[in-house]
Structures are given as C-alpha cells and as structure tokens.
Amino acid sequence: MAECRSMTVARSTSRETRTHFKVITYMLESGTKLQMDSVPMATACLIYHRFFKECLLENHDPYLIASSSIYLAAKVCEQQIRLRDILNVCYRTLHTDRPPLEINDEYWELRESLANCELLMLRVLKFQIAFELPHKYLLHYLVSLKDWLSPSVWADTPIAKTAWALLRDSYHSDLCLRVKPQHLAVTVLYFSLQCNGVGVPFNDDADKQWWQVFCEDIVESKIQSIIVELINMYAMEMNV
Amino acid sequence: MSIFNQLYDAKKQYEEVAEIGTGAYGTVYKARDLETGRYVALKKVRVQTGEDGMPLSTIREIAMLKQLEKFEHPNVVRLLDVYHGGRTDLETRLTLVFEHIDQDLSTYLEKCPSPGLGPEKIRDLSRQLVCGVDFLHSHRILHRDLKPQNILITGRGEVKLADFGLARVYGFQMALTSVVVTLWYRAPEVLLQGRYATPVDMWSVGCIIAELFTRLPLFRGTSDIDQLHKIFDIIGLPAKAEWPDSVSVPWNAFRPSPPRSLKKIIPELCEDSADLLQNLLTFDPSQRSSAQDTLSHGYFKTEDGQSVI
C-alpha cells in the first residue's frame, strides 16, 4: 500500500516537474520577445518557483502565475514593460494558432486576472520578490578565468556562452531555490569547461582547486550532484 | 477556486472588534485573528495604483518592512501580515496587520498620576525609544513621524515604535487632508521644507524625552511658522551662517533670541539628561546627536560607568 502511494507521489511529482519545465520554457520565450534582460528573466523564474513552493499546482493556472511572475520581475528589476505588452506577448506565445488579442472583453478579463494575480502572489510570497542571483558571481568568475586561460583558448572555445546558457537553462527546475547562487555559478562554469574539454592551467599543482578559489565552501561532490540534476533536466526535455 | 476568491479569503481570518482611530493614512481597527485567537491591529490604507498595478515603491517598502521582521527587534511593532481588500484601476486597498498593543505613550502619560514618572522609568523608556530608532536607522529607515501616538507601551513596560516607513508605502501625497498632522515633534529642517535624513527622528526623540519629564509637549506650535518661533524661543535663533540654503522661510523672518537653559524650563532634568537633550535639540542636523551616539551618552550609563544596554 505504502509502495503504491509513493509511486503515485513520484508520478505526480514528475508530472508537476514536467509542467513546470513547459511553463518555464513559455516564460523564457515570452521574456525573449519582450526583450527582457537576463536578471529580470531569472527573477521571474525564481518568483514562479517560489510561488509553487507555497501553493499547489492543481489550485492555480501555471501560465497565469508565469505571466504574473514576468510582470512582477520586470517591475522589481526596474525594466519598464507595460502590462498590455506582457498580456499581448504572453497570449501570442501561448496561443500561436490564434490571432493577436483584440481589446475586447477577453482582453479586459485577462488584464483583471493578471492584476489580481499580482496581488495574490505578493501576499503568498510575503512581498519578498527580490533575490540574490548567480549572475553577478558568474560574471566575476568568468572575468577571473579569462585571465588564467591563454587568449587563444578563450577565443576558440565558447566557455562563457556555454556557462550563460547552462545558467539560463537551470531555471527550468527549482535548483535556483535550493542551491546557493555562488554554488550554481561555480557549477555551470565547471560544467562548461567540461563540455568544452578545457582544463584550468596549473590546477593540479595548486594548493586549492580553482573552484575553491572562487567559492571556499563548495566541494567537488556538491558540484557533481548539481551537474547530475542539470543532466536529468536536459534528459527530461526529450519527454516534455 | 478563482484567484479573486483566494485573494480576498484573507479577510475572513480577521474579525473586526472595534475602531481604534483614524490616522493620516486611514482607519485602524482592533481585530481578532481567528487562527491564533490573539488580537491584532488592522491598518487599512489606500494605495494609488495606475494602469500598471501596485507601485514598485509600495512593493519595495513593504518588502523592507517584512525583511525587518526577521530581526524581531523588541522595540519595533510586529508586522504580521499584509492582505488586499479590493482593487480598482485607481487604487488598491491594502490592510497591514500589526500586533495589537493597548496603549500609546500619549495615553500612558495622560494616565500617569502626579508627580509623574520617576527618573529611572524615564531613563528606561528613553533608552528603549532610542534603541528602536537606532535599529531603524541602522537599516536605513527614517520614521519621519515620531510622536507619542506612534510609540506604543506594552503592559510589561516595553516601548515599541509603530508607523515607521509607511509614508513611502502610502505615497507621500496620500495623507488625508481632513486629518490634522501634529507639528510639535517636527525638526526645523522639515518645517523649513529643506533636505532631511535620519537626524529628523533624533529631533523628535529629543522632544519626546523632554515630554517624559513634564508630561507636556515642549514646543506647541499652531502652524509651521509658529512652530519654528516656539523652537527658537527655547534653543535660540541660529546664526545666519547656519541657516540652510533654498528653504521656504528666510532667516530674517525671525527675531533674534538667545538660547534658554533647558534646566530652567524643565527643573526635573539632571546634568546628564539636560546635556542629552541639548545634543538632540540642535538646529544643525549634522551636529545633532545620532541614535548610536545617544545610546553611549552618560545619561544611559550606570553608576559604575557601564552602559545600561
């Protein structure tokens, strides 16, 4: 009996995870169309994940929560995006087969839902919608790493590009909530170096591993476990 | 369950018991939290909202107030919850839920029998008041409206500051015009409509500590100008060189007057308390004692020179 229950929980959890994956993909696509910067976009994903840490998925329309997360993140990061633009872009991203939203009853209804959803989310999140993100750490680490590597290696391999892409993709899961921003930044850089087959010069002879220079409280096993989660997330993409 | 229903469900958690009063920004009610059974104070306010919903300044300010909750400072009133009580295109009704404390300093002083508070009680209340202000200032929060009505006293004699940071939550223009805002605790730079920062609160602290001794406000003006006259009657008109630039009233609008001795005006003052007030009731904000300085003043030291905090 207990086994059955745990299987049901596992099934529903993976179903939830897949739903969140799809919704975050929709958010990132909408954010790109709205020309949102990476920090507001990451903030939007964090707001979304934090909301569903507090509330059950079955009680809420995840796409409405996602659109509202974009709206709140743009506001808190002071990237001015008008509510009507968010509405139009999100609607078109979600309903690719439909004509653009006209200013009719449906438009006003959606606008009302989004405005009410903002209030609900603020209350659920206790108005805490500003976060420390890994972005500033990754930028700092990349600048240092560039000085350590030879100019030709840096020019010929997309280390930075891969790291930023990995970081952006990590927001498909709730890793960003569970992992310290410094740890996530170190991990995507480590993974990027692995993917590009680049080693940090003199690392084997050094007193400290390169990642410990950046972040003293991280160990390699922690990095590996985060990488496993990232790989599992990419594997899930095939099934979504 | 619709978003709308979930949003206004919070209302059902609190059962209003009585109206406590109407402040500059809205009505305050005593209510019972049906989940915990304890009493709370509901401060209902209206926030102006444009086409783009809740203003960022309001979100930021409430986020900051919620952030302060983590510290559980003993001299700051708890903000327990925030919920929404309806919305139009022009405004959102917010309800801020605070812990309920039965009396404020104004009531406390009114109830106090002659000959008034003892020196140790005054010292204790003053220290707690300055501790609360120091906590706010260390988190870069100005109170801006410190007065006995905003200082709550629990049954155990704990001082708790209320209504801080709220001017920015409501928006500076949102004060109800029908409500008379007291000027008696306002710093000269505020009355002169100049630039101001944390020293404005320290001026108010000085006025309030003086009131603990006399149980009467020190400066009781009837208008901004009259308030300034009352202030200069006691602290003296500052030198012209000290007068700030680009303020609403010129220096020569006031008659020159020398400073008067605070000990003569308030005979109950000891040397230390008189010096403390002198440092707080200073015209130049940059020369005014900060909360941190005030806490290490001799007035708050024990007989053996140890600080009481």
Side-chain angles (χ1 to χ4, degrees):
Chain A
M1 180 67 188
E3 200 171 77
C4 280
R5 196 182 300 120
S6 68
M7 281 167 69
T8 311
V9 168
R11 252 202 315 277
S12 71
T13 303
S14 66
R15 191 165 58 243
E16 271 187 26
T17 308
R18 283 202 298 275
T19 301
H20 292 321
F21 189 100
K22 277 198 300 198
V23 177
I24 295 287
T25 304
Y26 149 81
M27 281 176 77
L28 293 172
E29 192 182 330
S30 300
T32 304
K33 289 175 183 170
L34 287 162
Q35 297 177 317
M36 280 179 90
D37 299 332
S38 57
V39 167
M41 206 55 252
T43 302
C45 296
L46 262 164
I47 289 171
Y48 174 87
H49 286 304
R50 269 217 34 216
F51 181 85
F52 282 111
K53 270 276 170 285
E54 303 294 329
C55 300
L56 291 172
L57 180 60
E58 64 236 39
N59 291 344
H60 301 275
D61 172 2
Y63 289 96
L64 176 60
I65 299 299
S67 308
S68 198
S69 300
I70 289 173
Y71 177 40
L72 271 171
K75 200 179 275 188
V76 85
C77 297
E78 293 183 58
Q79 184 174 359
Q80 289 301 308
I81 303 175
R82 290 185 312 180
L83 180 54
R84 67 178 75 173
D85 294 333
I86 291 172
L87 264 177
N88 288 324
V89 166
C90 288
Y91 183 86
R92 285 291 284 149
T93 306
L94 198 54
H95 306 293
T96 47
D97 53 331
R98 293 188 201 171
L101 196 57
E102 287 179 28
I103 298 181
N104 55 17
D105 287 351
E106 187 182 11
Y107 172 86
W108 292 111
E109 216 171 279
L110 283 170
R111 195 171 170 278
E112 184 69 8
S113 293
L114 206 57
N116 275 329
C117 192
E118 174 191 37
L119 300 180
L120 173 72
M121 291 182 76
L122 283 170
R123 181 164 195 264
V124 166
L125 301 178
K126 298 183 168 63
F127 281 78
Q128 298 298 338
I129 54 169
F131 307 96
E132 191 183 28
L133 298 171
H135 295 63
K136 62 178 178 185
Y137 295 106
L138 181 56
L139 183 63
H140 170 64
Y141 301 160
L142 283 166
V143 168
S144 301
L145 187 69
K146 187 181 176 183
D147 291 339
W148 297 349
L149 298 176
S150 72
S152 61
V153 169
W154 185 262
D156 296 343
T157 49
I159 295 165
K161 203 172 180 179
T162 309
W164 286 118
L166 286 165
L167 181 59
R168 180 183 163 94
D169 290 344
S170 74
Y171 282 90
H172 278 85
S173 78
D174 65 353
L175 254 179
C176 48
L177 285 185
R178 293 182 284 107
V179 175
K180 282 169 72 173
Q182 299 93 312
H183 292 187
L184 195 49
V186 162
T187 301
V188 295
L189 188 49
Y190 181 104
F191 198 10
S192 173
L193 288 166
Q194 267 192 344
C195 294
N196 288 291
V198 175
V200 174
F202 312 114
N203 190 56
D204 296 338
D205 309 324
D207 296 335
K208 268 185 177 178
Q209 300 290 320
W210 67 263
W211 61 84
Q212 285 176 313
V213 174
F214 290 152
C215 185
E216 284 183 353
D217 68 341
I218 197 164
V219 290
E220 196 163 14
S221 59
K222 174 74 174 168
I223 293 174
Q224 297 292 2
S225 71
I226 298 171
I227 287 174
V228 167
E229 287 204 54
L230 285 170
I231 291 167
N232 289 341
M233 189 186 68
Y234 284 118
M236 186 174 57
E237 188 179 10
M238 310 298 175
N239 308 320
V240 169
Chain B
M1 190 189 206
S2 76
I3 286 281
F4 189 84
N5 289 340
Q6 292 167 51
L7 191 53
Y8 303 116
D9 245 19
K11 273 181 159 178
K12 298 173 191 166
Q13 189 184 330
Y14 305 103
E15 180 183 63
E16 287 172 20
V17 175
E19 187 176 313
I20 297 171
T22 301
Y25 295 104
T27 313
V28 187
Y29 297 87
K30 181 178 180 177
R32 185 183 280 105
D33 181 343
L34 299 176
E35 279 184 14
T36 62
R38 68 177 167 185
Y39 286 110
V40 293
L42 304 181
K43 195 173 282 280
K44 298 189 176 188
V45 298
R46 288 181 159 93
V47 177
Q48 282 174 329
T49 47
E51 188 184 322
D52 283 322
M54 184 80 77
L56 176 61
S57 60
T58 302
I59 294 172
R60 281 236 170 110
E61 216 59 27
I62 294 175
M64 182 225 30
L65 294 179
K66 296 290 285 180
Q67 199 72 34
L68 289 185
E69 285 308 302
K70 291 178 184 170
F71 297 95
E72 295 188 346
H73 194 278
N75 302 121
V76 160
V77 76
R78 300 268 79 81
L79 174 62
L80 305 171
D81 193 7
V82 181
Y83 68 87
H84 309 87
R87 190 185 60 77
T88 68
D89 273 349
L90 297 175
E91 63 174 36
T92 297
R93 286 194 286 283
L94 275 185
T95 301
L96 295 116
V97 183
F98 292 97
E99 64 176 316
H100 178 262
I101 292 159
D102 261 320
Q103 66 178 341
D104 60 33
L105 183 59
S106 178
T107 318
Y108 182 82
L109 291 176
E110 275 170 30
K111 284 183 184 171
C112 179
S114 273
L117 301 172
E120 283 313 310
K121 188 66 185 170
I122 292 173
R123 193 197 311 266
D124 175 48
L125 294 175
S126 301
R127 184 190 56 76
Q128 290 188 65
L129 168 61
V130 180
C131 273
V133 173
D134 178 50
F135 171 72
L136 294 183
H137 289 182
S138 67
H139 288 88
R140 291 184 293 185
I141 298 165
L142 300 191
H143 192 297
R144 291 187 183 87
D145 193 23
L146 267 176
K147 55 190 176 190
Q149 292 84 346
N150 283 341
I151 298 164
L152 308 176
I153 313 272
T154 70
R156 293 201 301 272
E158 295 164 316
V159 170
K160 288 181 183 275
L161 305 185
D163 272 5
F164 49 88
L166 295 185
R168 302 236 312 257
V169 171
Y170 309 143
F172 288 105
Q173 308 312 314
M174 284 292 285
L176 304 175
T177 46
S178 58
V179 177
V180 179
V181 178
T182 182
L183 306 167
W184 298 344
Y185 307 91
R186 292 266 161 103
E189 60 270 30
V190 178
L191 296 163
L192 288 166
Q193 291 163 27
R195 292 174 62 183
Y196 61 87
T198 51
V200 297
D201 289 337
M202 298 317 295
W203 176 276
S204 306
V205 165
C207 296
I208 293 161
I209 293 175
E211 194 166 329
L212 292 177
F213 284 93
T214 61
R215 290 176 295 150
L216 288 170
L218 184 59
F219 309 114
R220 278 174 284 178
T222 53
S223 66
D224 288 29
I225 289 286
D226 184 50
Q227 185 67 19
L228 286 163
H229 278 297
K230 296 274 194 294
I231 289 169
F232 297 143
D233 278 349
I234 290 179
I235 71 165
L237 183 68
K240 192 170 186 185
E242 268 191 78
W243 202 256
D245 298 326
S246 60
V247 289
S248 58
V249 191
W251 176 78
N252 54 19
F254 302 93
R255 60 185 177 278
S257 59
R260 290 163 61 196
S261 160
L262 281 171
K263 278 198 82 172
K264 282 187 180 151
I265 298 162
I266 309 169
E268 298 88 346
L269 293 177
C270 63
E271 289 299 329
D272 277 335
S273 53
D275 184 65
L276 178 85
L277 286 182
Q278 200 79 56
N279 295 344
L280 293 170
L281 300 174
T282 299
F283 177 78
D284 183 350
S286 66
Q287 299 302 307
R288 205 173 293 152
S289 186
S290 70
Q292 197 90 72
D293 298 338
T294 305
L295 285 172
S296 53
H297 189 276
Y299 177 60
F300 294 121
K301 298 268 197 293
T302 55
E303 302 275 315
D304 58 0
Q306 293 297 303
S307 175
V308 293
I309 55 165

